[in-house]
Amino acid sequence: MKTKYFVITIVLLFWAINPVMSQNRYTYYVHIQNKDYIPAISDSKDKDGIVTASSKINSFNRVLEKSRFYEFIQAFPTAHTDWLREVYYVVCDNDNLERDMNEFQKSIPLIEQLCEPILTGDDPDDPIYTRGDMADLDLINASKVW
């Protein structure tokens, strides 16, 4: 009887977690020069964590509708240069956002997809370090952050 409940619990847990884990999220920096293209973002997120984005430009709204946005915020709001204040941090489910926004290059000259770090393992790959000649790095536990 306990086994039956355990199996049912595991199945339900997997079913509940699976949609969350299967969502791909892509992160971008988007430089928007023309203020009319800056979308108004809904103050609240829906149950899936999605925000609504809508700009003053109808053709750009059609591009925005192709994606589900999790974040669309000003990346550097306190920057000293206008250029940096025009950059937005965007998280969405569209890995083709660069291609989709390509037709708006005059108003959106830069869209850069951010990459995730690739963890390669726990062992440093520096041959001098692995020989044990770097006692000072052992002193500060450098291998833990390598």
Side-chain angles (χ1 to χ4, degrees):
M1 188 71 154
K2 288 182 181 180
T3 306
K4 181 179 176 181
Y5 287 120
F6 178 75
V7 170
I8 291 172
T9 303
I10 295 299
V11 169
L12 288 174
L13 183 63
F14 179 77
W15 178 73
I17 292 176
N18 192 31
V20 173
M21 296 183 72
S22 65
Q23 295 173 353
N24 290 329
R25 294 187 183 197
Y26 303 93
T27 309
Y28 298 89
Y29 278 136
V30 180
H31 179 212
I32 304 176
Q33 288 181 322
N34 185 334
K35 293 186 187 309
D36 291 338
Y37 283 82
I38 298 171
I41 307 300
S42 60
D43 290 336
S44 60
K45 296 182 178 187
D46 69 7
K47 63 180 175 60
D48 296 325
I50 308 297
V51 295
T52 319
S54 178
S55 76
K56 295 178 182 177
I57 310 297
N58 289 331
S59 58
F60 187 59
N61 285 337
R62 285 191 286 278
V63 171
L64 293 175
E65 289 169 359
K66 293 180 182 179
S67 303
R68 294 167 40 132
F69 293 98
Y70 301 96
E71 295 284 339
F72 206 122
I73 59 172
Q74 194 174 12
F76 311 106
T78 60
H80 294 288
T81 64
D82 291 337
W83 195 95
L84 280 175
R85 284 191 302 273
E86 295 170 346
V87 175
Y88 288 80
Y89 176 79
V90 177
V91 180
C92 68
D93 66 348
N94 186 352
D95 66 336
N96 293 313
L97 190 65
E98 292 174 75
R99 186 196 64 204
D100 292 347
M101 290 187 177
N102 194 31
E103 66 183 277
F104 305 102
Q105 276 187 319
K106 286 190 176 188
S107 297
I108 304 173
L110 177 68
I111 303 166
E112 185 71 32
Q113 186 171 1
L114 305 176
C115 58
E116 295 293 324
I118 299 171
L119 303 176
T120 59
D122 296 334
D123 298 327
D125 58 357
D126 185 337
I128 295 172
Y129 180 79
T130 55
R131 275 195 329 236
D133 296 343
M134 306 293 284
D136 51 340
L137 293 179
D138 288 333
L139 184 64
I140 61 168
N141 294 319
S143 62
K144 290 183 180 179
V145 294
W146 203 276

